[in-house]
Amino acid sequence: MTVNQVLGALGSWDITLTSTTPPDLWDAIDFFGHVAFIPGRLDPAQYGDNLLAPGVARYVGVVRKRDNSGDDRRTKIVEQGYELGGVGMNFWLGDDEDKGDVYETPVTINNATFANAIRALLPASGAVTEGTLYSVPGTYSGRHQYETPRKATQYVCDTFTASSGQKVGRRVNGDGTVDAGFESDLYVTDPRCVISRKTAGKDTSGLESVPGAFGVSRDMEDFSTRVVLLAEGEGESIATGTADISPGLNPYKNIHGGALKLTRLASESDTGVTLADTRAELLLSQYTNSQDELVVETDNYYIEGSFDVGDYVWVWDPNAGLVDPDNEITFRGERLNPIKLQVTEAKWPVTEGYTVAYRDADGVWYDLTDHVEWDSSHTVYLTVGGFARALEGSGSQPIGSRPSQDTSVPGVPTFVTPFTGSAYLDSRGYTRARTILAWNAPNNVDGSTVLDGDHYEIRYAVDADLIYPATWTQVSQITWADMETWGQPFVAPTGQWQTMFVAWGESTAQLNDLSPGVGYDMQIRAVDKAGNRGAWSNTATFVASEDNIPPSTPAAPSVAGSRIALQIMHTLGKSSGGTYNLESDLQHLEIHVSYEPGFTPGDDTLKGKVNATAGMIQAQIPAVTTVQVEETSTRYVRVVAVDKTGNKSGPSDAASATALLIDDAHISDLTVSKVTAGTIGADWIVGARIKTADTGARVELNSGGIGCWNAAGTQTVAIAAADGSVSIVGQLISGTSGRRLEIMPTSTLLPELRFYANSGSNYAYINTSSTGTDSNIGVNSGTFDDSGTSVYARAYLNSGTSEIAVIRADTQARRGGYSRYTTSNFFAGYNSGGLDGGLYSATASQAKIGWDNGTASTANYHQYESGLTRHIGRYRDFVAADSNEGLFTGSVSPTSGASSWAATFGPTMLSQLLPIVSIRDDVVHSNAITDSTTTGFTVTISPAASGAWSVYFWCFRI
């Protein structure tokens, strides 16, 4: 289930719906409806035609294939689902066989702007409507008849490309509109993505990197030094246009040292005399450089949002010569010199996470998402560059006396059989097969020579009808239950057609990564430059090469001997060195034993087989087995590796083992009532118990774990083998002195955990207490000296009150800062000598911040309640302010009878002050602040004071 987007072409898409798809939903899907693929999950009925808008659906396609036969005639599997397929929106301008809204009546354009020329060539049926037509300098004149709007609009774009010197194109959107203009108007021409052998991600500039396995091809197959274009007319009246390569672009020579000359003949019967040279220049520009194509295959990068088909990207691969010294970019601190290429094709899978919706001819939307069989692959294939060769509508007519349209159809190529092939090991160590195909080129169906051949299409699939023979060696690798039938033990794998493309002029192709010994069906057809496709050839069936590659010779095994048996271990390595590096199609190892070191393995020396698979190689699990050999003299062991097909390696070098006496190392099963004292130098598997006594104080080891009991029979230590849990009754000490940990240091205190210092007896501890169902915890530091008083820090958490404080060690009274928490309030303050000082408290109804030692006359704090703020205490009367004091007040009595008074703050304040003044006297005065600086202010009254008077003021620093 993939979507194949191709720049300027139809592309393709296909999906499979499950066999449980409701019949009414399947019946609603009709030909030439539209299917949209939208990232994310949404309801198509809710959004409707908004899904067709650019930037919403990732892809919109036209339905041209609808298959519900339930039998693909290859796998013979009934009810395997419904298949839908089709092409992209370019279809509405004309399909791949030049069908469409053909101009039967000539469309004549005279000196029209680019936008008007495109507008005049849109389909009369309204299948595609005008989107955004950008301005392109120049005018166009031409006549179009008996061709589709797709070819005609491409012709106009090519013509303006030649005249403007910039590439001009057009794009059909998902909503059936067409945009046309310079490429910079339609696509991203300033690359924001670099394709290289770098890791995926972004750098700080926003530039993204797409890595992956990619192949680069460059060729000069289409290189030309001159183009002669045969334009309108017939016979001797044919108009011609010519173009020659710039000398600087042709450094090549023939065998005699002369300049290389390759003239390309092209034919365009619709091109007039005035445009012939321009069109020749356009054609030549496509063939003066090498064709560079980069195919990227990536599994771990999602390209949506990074670039789209038509956008330009940076491509950098010095090993392949993809370097441009004129371009320099910086990615994650590294300077690169990439070339700038256009993304011409993207093939991506339809995976879970998309919304798949169908729109019928009446604009009704249906949700197909819940019935789609998602693609399990996440591999994305991109083709960058190599597009010039695929341009359509340029010089595609046969040379000579021509009709206006290319109606020649290639005939059927014929395979040259039998095919040749061989088996090989892939990079993962599995055996695969390759086959070389060969064929003869066809003529056109009318018998004429194919002059405009473009490429061959070859499709192949597993042949499900072939009976696959099996040797007894192959059959021995499977169980009776795994065998399909007696006549055909193995059933062939099944699959759909796979297609490959081969350039015209080639007569051979190589197929790789085939399953060994499996039959394949093969068909081929020819396609010319006008897009005319010949018929598929008859099916040729061949069987891929059998797996005839034996495993590498294994290394010698490790052998341990006893009186009656040998234990063999092998790390699945090659004799040339290393471990776990045998081939991945390994199936088992044969164990051969003999008295001679250089013996030849055979049926008489085969003593056993041991499984050895790719999973064991990957997980690095050795193959281990025991074979019964009753002998005490030296024996030699060699192993032979056998793969899944039954191919056998050469024998390994021999490994020897000699059994010792029966009463020492070669007893595999021992039952005794007493073992003589001594040193045991072997691993023991205890099937019962090891214990120091049956009752009373004792230690016991058994299959359940380890246990200890005291003299009263109470278990004091229990270590469970099942889950590793440990239970200890008594004191646990991590050391006898210095830094150590003690758990339950004495049974007379609360449950306690002590942490001793590096030296001395001082320790911090955690203890718990409990009243009823409550459980409380305390965390205490070690003691320290505070001006002759021993104190320590304590935090306790209980169900009533929790507190963090520094307290006296003797009375546990607070000494210094503390905080207390209850379910109804919070309090933080400072306590010294039993008296509180600074405080912060909060309840559900009020909060306080300030200073309160418990005496009402000296308390000084702010109190905040719902709807009001209170200040409890007094403000300091002004004597001298501090330079950063924000608010202060004062009351002074100036000289009797004066008319002004000047206040001095003392220091220079850090910023301007705002005085607010009130006058007390026995007469009414007007007053004003006549001077105010950062050092003081002056107040002037009128009339003058009658006698003793006072000035009351507040000062706010602003």
Side-chain angles (χ1 to χ4, degrees):
M1 295 175 289
T2 57
V3 174
N4 189 18
Q5 294 176 263
V6 183
L7 181 63
L10 271 65
S12 63
W13 62 270
D14 66 89
I15 59 172
T16 299
L17 303 182
T18 63
S19 59
T20 58
T21 301
D24 55 342
L25 179 60
W26 175 253
D27 293 340
I29 301 174
D30 203 357
F31 295 111
F32 305 111
H34 295 79
V35 170
F37 302 93
I38 308 105
R41 193 68 178 93
L42 47 78
D43 181 9
Q46 177 182 354
Y47 290 88
D49 284 355
N50 291 324
L51 299 177
L52 301 176
V56 179
R58 184 178 181 186
Y59 182 83
V60 179
V62 183
V63 178
R64 288 211 306 182
K65 183 179 76 170
R66 186 175 179 276
D67 185 0
N68 65 331
S69 63
D71 181 0
D72 65 356
R73 291 183 294 279
R74 303 185 57 78
T75 62
K76 307 299 186 291
I77 299 176
V78 180
E79 296 183 354
Q80 64 176 24
Y82 303 94
E83 293 185 5
L84 290 176
V87 293
M89 292 298 289
N90 272 308
F91 167 82
W92 294 116
L93 287 178
D95 69 4
D96 46 352
E97 295 180 346
D98 292 332
K99 301 192 302 293
D101 198 352
V102 173
Y103 313 121
E104 298 185 41
T105 301
V107 177
T108 302
I109 303 172
N110 292 313
N111 295 320
T113 63
F114 173 75
N116 285 336
I118 296 295
R119 193 174 287 123
L121 293 172
L122 294 180
S125 63
V128 176
T129 59
E130 178 181 337
T132 303
L133 303 180
Y134 296 92
S135 175
V136 177
T139 59
Y140 174 79
S141 298
R143 181 178 183 273
H144 297 272
Q145 186 179 16
Y146 300 125
E147 61 181 342
T148 62
R150 186 160 74 101
K151 284 203 168 184
T153 54
Q154 184 63 53
Y155 185 94
V156 172
C157 291
D158 291 344
T159 301
F160 275 93
T161 295
S163 62
S164 66
Q166 301 182 56
K167 199 168 183 180
V168 179
R170 49 108 173 94
R171 174 184 64 200
V172 181
N173 302 311
D175 58 358
T177 60
V178 64
D179 301 338
F182 286 123
E183 278 198 334
S184 57
D185 297 323
L186 304 178
Y187 307 108
V188 175
T189 55
D190 184 12
R192 61 189 181 207
C193 183
V194 57
I195 299 177
S196 69
R197 302 186 187 274
K198 296 287 181 183
T199 57
K202 287 187 176 182
D203 70 355
T204 55
S205 67
L207 191 66
E208 294 187 42
S209 174
V210 176
F214 61 93
V216 180
S217 64
R218 307 184 73 184
D219 65 69
M220 299 288 282
E221 294 177 3
D222 290 335
F223 181 76
S224 303
T225 62
R226 176 178 171 84
V227 167
V228 176
L229 175 70
L230 308 182
E232 65 181 359
E234 290 289 337
E236 296 182 356
S237 63
I238 293 178
T240 61
T242 61
D244 291 283
I245 192 172
S246 170
L249 297 178
N250 183 22
Y252 308 106
K253 298 181 179 181
N254 59 35
I255 193 172
H256 297 294
L260 176 68
K261 183 174 182 180
L262 294 173
T263 300
R264 177 182 293 270
L265 295 179
S267 176
E268 291 181 354
S269 60
D270 285 341
T271 297
V273 176
T274 57
L275 287 178
D277 286 339
T278 300
R279 295 292 296 179
E281 288 283 356
L282 174 64
L283 288 176
L284 180 63
S285 67
Q286 300 173 20
Y287 306 118
T288 56
N289 294 300
S290 64
Q291 299 297 322
D292 301 332
E293 180 177 272
L294 173 69
V295 178
V296 181
E297 176 184 345
T298 177
D299 287 324
N300 58 358
Y301 198 77
Y302 191 47
I303 66 168
E304 182 187 358
S306 300
F307 52 82
D308 204 349
V309 173
D311 292 345
Y312 280 79
V313 295
W314 294 119
V315 179
W316 184 68
D317 184 9
N319 294 334
L322 296 179
V323 177
D324 187 351
D326 295 333
N327 293 326
E328 181 174 293
I329 63 173
T330 302
F331 181 78
R332 293 183 174 177
E334 182 177 357
R335 292 184 177 181
L336 310 178
N337 296 98
I339 64 173
K340 182 177 175 182
L341 292 176
Q342 190 175 33
V343 179
T344 58
E345 184 172 355
K347 186 176 182 181
W348 45 273
V350 182
T351 58
E352 192 168 3
Y354 278 89
T355 296
V356 181
Y358 169 74
R359 180 187 185 274
D360 69 11
D362 298 322
V364 179
W365 286 86
Y366 299 86
D367 192 352
L368 307 180
T369 309
D370 293 337
H371 309 289
V372 174
E373 291 186 355
W374 303 109
D375 199 319
S376 60
S377 170
H378 293 270
T379 302
V380 177
Y381 298 91
L382 304 174
T383 300
V384 181
F387 183 64
R389 190 178 301 162
L391 289 173
E392 296 182 275
S394 299
S396 60
Q397 295 177 338
I399 307 300
S401 179
R402 323 144 299 207
S404 296
Q405 289 291 106
D406 178 7
T407 59
S408 61
V409 177
V412 179
T414 55
F415 280 121
V416 178
T417 56
F419 302 139
T420 61
S422 62
Y424 68 96
L425 287 176
D426 66 12
S427 59
R428 299 171 300 168
Y430 290 102
T431 303
R432 309 300 294 165
R434 63 168 59 93
T435 295
I436 306 297
L437 308 177
W439 61 88
N440 293 320
N443 291 326
N444 287 316
V445 293
D446 59 5
S448 61
T449 302
V450 178
L451 300 176
D452 58 346
D454 185 75
H455 66 273
Y456 295 98
E457 293 180 8
I458 300 173
R459 66 181 184 182
Y460 59 97
V462 173
D463 182 79
D465 297 323
L466 185 68
I467 294 180
Y468 292 90
T471 65
W472 284 113
T473 302
Q474 292 171 324
V475 173
S476 67
Q477 313 306 316
I478 62 173
T479 65
W480 184 268
D482 294 330
M483 185 180 294
E484 297 295 335
T485 65
W486 179 261
Q488 185 170 351
F490 301 105
V491 170
T494 58
Q496 300 294 328
W497 286 110
Q498 299 183 61
T499 304
M500 66 179 298
F501 299 89
V502 181
W504 191 266
E506 300 292 336
S507 59
T508 61
Q510 179 172 286
L511 288 180
N512 293 317
D513 201 32
L514 303 177
S515 298
V518 172
Y520 287 87
D521 291 342
M522 191 73 54
Q523 293 181 340
I524 187 172
R525 68 177 177 184
V527 182
D528 65 18
K529 293 184 181 295
N532 298 314
R533 287 172 167 78
W536 289 107
S537 69
N538 292 330
T539 299
T541 300
F542 70 94
V543 177
S545 299
E546 293 280 352
D547 178 5
N548 56 5
I549 302 176
S552 299
T553 300
S558 298
V559 182
S562 74
R563 169 70 174 74
I564 58 176
L566 294 176
Q567 184 183 67
I568 295 92
M569 183 180 74
H570 200 280
T571 54
L572 307 182
K574 299 178 181 179
S575 62
S576 58
T579 59
Y580 304 104
N581 58 0
L582 285 172
E583 288 74 14
S584 297
D585 62 348
L586 188 65
Q587 205 272 345
H588 69 270
L589 299 177
E590 290 184 351
I591 311 299
H592 293 265
V593 181
S594 182
Y595 303 100
E596 298 294 332
F599 73 95
T600 300
D603 292 341
D604 56 334
T605 61
L606 179 63
K607 300 302 180 183
K609 299 178 181 179
V610 58
N611 284 339
T613 64
M616 296 171 65
I617 294 173
Q618 183 175 3
Q620 298 194 352
I621 299 173
V624 180
T625 189
T626 299
V627 296
Q628 302 299 317
V629 178
E630 186 174 0
E631 186 59 63
T632 57
S633 60
T634 302
R635 269 77 39 91
Y636 296 91
V637 180
R638 307 181 79 176
V639 297
V640 175
V642 184
D643 66 17
K644 294 179 179 179
T645 309
N647 298 309
K648 295 184 179 182
S649 72
S652 71
D653 291 340
S656 64
T658 302
L660 301 179
L661 296 177
I662 192 66
D663 55 357
D664 195 342
H666 297 85
I667 300 176
S668 62
D669 190 3
L670 177 63
T671 302
V672 296
S673 61
K674 183 172 84 171
V675 178
T676 301
T679 300
I680 299 174
D683 295 333
W684 279 45
I685 299 176
V686 180
R689 298 181 293 172
I690 297 177
K691 55 187 177 179
T692 60
D694 288 325
T695 60
R698 65 190 186 277
V699 178
E700 181 175 311
L701 170 65
N702 56 44
S703 60
I706 302 174
C708 299
W709 285 260
N710 61 17
T714 302
Q715 188 170 7
T716 57
V717 176
I719 302 177
D723 56 9
S725 59
V726 179
S727 172
I728 299 177
V729 177
Q731 185 178 5
L732 178 62
I733 303 176
S734 66
T736 59
S737 64
R739 183 174 56 188
R740 63 191 185 277
L741 177 71
E742 292 187 5
I743 301 176
M744 294 299 290
T746 173
S747 60
T748 62
L749 298 179
L750 302 173
E752 189 169 291
L753 173 62
R754 293 183 182 178
F755 305 87
Y756 281 84
N758 287 347
S759 62
S761 60
N762 197 11
Y763 62 87
Y765 62 97
I766 300 173
N767 61 5
T768 64
S769 64
S770 177
T771 56
T773 59
D774 297 333
S775 181
N776 310 312
I777 188 169
V779 180
N780 307 268
S781 75
T783 59
F784 59 93
D785 181 75
D786 179 27
S787 301
T789 300
S790 181
V791 298
Y792 65 93
R794 179 184 69 183
Y796 67 82
L797 310 172
N798 62 29
S799 56
T801 300
S802 299
E803 183 177 282
I804 301 175
V806 177
I807 63 175
R808 294 173 61 106
D810 52 356
T811 64
Q812 296 192 8
R814 302 185 191 97
R815 184 178 179 87
Y818 69 96
S819 59
R820 187 175 68 249
Y821 315 85
T822 71
T823 56
S824 60
N825 65 63
F826 163 75
F827 192 93
Y830 181 85
N831 186 286
S832 179
L835 297 177
D836 285 328
L839 67 90
Y840 177 83
S841 68
T843 68
S845 60
Q846 65 176 221
K848 294 181 182 180
I849 184 170
W851 185 87
D852 186 3
N853 65 351
T855 302
S857 61
T858 59
N860 194 12
Y861 57 85
H862 281 85
Q863 181 171 308
Y864 305 91
E865 302 176 18
S866 176
L868 59 88
T869 301
R870 300 176 62 195
H871 173 243
I872 308 299
R874 299 188 302 162
Y875 285 95
R876 180 172 69 86
D877 195 9
F878 170 73
V879 176
D882 292 330
S883 63
N884 63 347
E885 198 158 351
L887 169 64
F888 55 90
T889 184
S891 173
V892 296
S893 297
T895 304
S896 176
S899 60
S900 66
W901 173 75
T904 301
F905 300 140
T908 299
M909 306 302 288
L910 296 178
S911 61
Q912 179 67 42
L913 269 73
L914 175 64
I916 300 176
V917 176
S918 177
I919 306 298
R920 181 185 65 79
D921 201 357
D922 56 358
V923 297
V924 177
H925 300 277
S926 62
N927 65 81
I929 304 298
T930 56
D931 186 29
S932 179
T933 67
T934 57
T935 60
F937 68 90
T938 300
V939 58
T940 302
I941 63 173
S942 179
S946 63
W949 62 301
S950 297
V951 178
Y952 306 145
F953 63 88
W954 290 81
C955 284
F956 298 85
R957 189 162 66 88
I958 58 176

